[in-house]
């Protein structure tokens, strides 16, 4: 009897256990793909480890709480505003100066707040975190370098808000760029005992240049902007040689960091008529701003002289290249004279194609402006019925080409480089310090 009751209790226990198992099993309608596969387990991802650098060295002038004074340009690019009202809000204090030509407006703002509106205006906020940090350090260093004197002493303004210095407040502060500024708070680059001129630009053609592309530039004073190949290849080719550079720019170079970027290679057509229009529009103004950038041929010499026109353009020839292949001198021959155009900005201005088509590396077509995309290019004559009508220009890169390439920085970040490594890549023998 005892054994019979024990057997009944055992059977009842088995039934109850089976019933409980059915209760906790997922229903049949559960999708197979929602279930972990055989041998799998659910893993909670760990947060990405933050790459931080804390420089030991301190730079004491200015301190971390310094304020920068930014002159806000009017819509026409001048300093005078018709009204005091601005199209967007500004942090810090806004000061107004009433002048005969209109209102001059200066924004005094803490340096770190200034950077929160420079970094997204200069680099897309969607870029890799380490690239944004590199941009933040560049922008801070450039600002500190500029703050050592006033660009507009009559208003005690260090910089303006345009590409002439750094673009400011064209895009509101973004979370990712704010994080980049905060993560690098107070950090600047030094070379020897001074802050560096932290120039940067959009996209390289696979090569950068030095400061001699500008009239007041002196490569001997800025050896950290030495010019380099932007990729896996070493600097073996002399890109100041015309034929060597032509071979380089007319094809994609394996190993270049930005080989897939839209502006890595481009081409466009500029007519002689357009070059003539550019000379008539810009030569006199640029001669006023430059001692050696626009020179008129006088016998065997070239002299500084304001020129309205050199007549019908008949010929354009590249005379000289700077480090990395950037065009340094362009000779324009017209029916009424010959001009030597020197330095990258002046040259790009004389060959600009406002409203024209620029065919980019990715097959898309961009619209030309007053400036040619870069100074890295070669020219091939185009003739109609044996008569020269213009030039097909084959070039690469976007921007002046000195210092850090922003898209190159992005690619390095995507490949795992930290912001300090990116800065070391583009600026020779620099080190990080911090404002205190």
């Amino acid at each position: 009897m005892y054994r019979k009751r024990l057997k009944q209790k055992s059977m009842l226990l088995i039934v109850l256990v089976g019933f409980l198992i059915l209760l906790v099993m997922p229903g049949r309608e559960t999708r197979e793909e929602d279930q972990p596969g055989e041998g799998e387990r659910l893993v909670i991802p760990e947060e990405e480890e933050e790459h931080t650098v804390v420089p030991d060295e301190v730079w004491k002038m200015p301190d971390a709480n310094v304020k920068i004074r930014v002159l806000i340009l009017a819509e026409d690019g001048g300093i005078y505003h018709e009204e005091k009202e601005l199209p967007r809000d500004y942090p810090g204090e806004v000061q107004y100066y009433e002048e005969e030509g209109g209102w001059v407006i200066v924004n005094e703002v803490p340096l770190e707040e200034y950077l929160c509106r420079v970094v997204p205006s200069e680099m897309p906020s969607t870029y890799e975190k380490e690239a944004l940090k590199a941009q933040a350090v560049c922008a801070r260093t450039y600002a500190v370098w500029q703050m050592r004197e006033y660009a507009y002493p009559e208003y005690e303004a260090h910089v303006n808000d345009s590409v002439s210095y750094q673009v400011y407040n064209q895009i509101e502060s973004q979370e990712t760029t704010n994080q980049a500024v905060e993560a690098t708070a107070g950090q600047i680059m030094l070379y020897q005992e001074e802050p560096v001129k932290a120039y940067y630009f959009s996209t390289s053609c696979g090569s950068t240049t030095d400061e001699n592309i500008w009239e007041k530039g002196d490569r001997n004073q800025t050896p950290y902007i030495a010019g380099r190949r932007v990729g896996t290849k070493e600097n073996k080719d002399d890109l100041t040689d015309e034929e060597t550079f032509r071979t380089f720019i007319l094809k994609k170079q394996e190993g270049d960091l930005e080989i897939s970027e839209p502006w890595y290679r481009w081409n466009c057509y500029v007519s002689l008529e357009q070059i003539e229009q550019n000379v008539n529009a810009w030569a006199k103004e640029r001669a006023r701003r430059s001692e050696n950038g626009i020179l008129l041929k006088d016998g065997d010499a070239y002299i500084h002289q304001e020129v309205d026109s050199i007549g019908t353009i008949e010929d354009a020839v590249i005379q000289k290249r700077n480090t990395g292949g950037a065009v340094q001198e362009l000779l324009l021959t017209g029916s009424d004279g010959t001009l030597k155009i020197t330095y990258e900005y002046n040259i790009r201005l004389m060959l600009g194609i406002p409203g024209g088509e620029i065919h980019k590396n990715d097959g898309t077509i961009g619209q030309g402006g007053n400036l040619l995309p870069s100074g890295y290019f070669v020219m091939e004559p185009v003739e109609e019925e044996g008569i020269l009508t213009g030039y097909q220009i084959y070039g690469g890169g976007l921007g002046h080409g000195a210092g850090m390439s922003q898209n190159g920085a992005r690619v390095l970040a995507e490949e795992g480089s930290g912001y300090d490594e990116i800065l070391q890549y583009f600026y020779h023998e620099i080190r990080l310090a911090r404002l205190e």
Side-chain angles (χ1 to χ4, degrees), residues 212-213 320-322 326-330 341-343 347:
N212 276 26
I213 54 169
K320 184 179 179 182
R321 294 187 181 276
N322 193 41
V327 178
Q328 189 77 354
E329 288 183 6
L330 177 72
I341 313 298
T342 312
Y343 309 116
I347 292 167

Side-chain angles (χ1 to χ4, degrees), residues 351-362:
L351 297 177
I353 51 168
E357 291 186 348
I358 299 180
H359 298 261
K360 297 188 284 186
N361 186 48
D362 61 354

Side-chain angles (χ1 to χ4, degrees), residues 199-258:
Y199 297 122
Y200 52 88
F201 62 100
S202 172
T203 307
S204 84
C205 67
S207 176
T208 67
T209 189
D210 59 42
E211 200 189 20
N212 276 26
I213 54 169
W214 297 302
E215 184 166 9
K216 295 182 179 180
D218 182 353
R219 65 167 67 101
N220 295 320
Q221 299 298 317
T222 55
Y224 46 85
I225 305 176
R228 63 160 299 148
R229 288 281 282 111
V230 185
T232 57
K233 290 189 176 180
E234 297 179 4
N235 294 346
K236 291 184 177 180
D237 296 331
D238 179 11
L239 296 180
T240 64
D241 176 75
E242 189 65 29
E243 289 306 312
T244 302
F245 182 80
R246 176 175 291 273
T247 300
F248 168 80
I249 202 69
L250 290 179
K251 70 175 184 178
K252 298 180 181 183
Q253 302 296 318
E254 184 179 354
D256 282 358
L257 287 183
E258 294 150 287

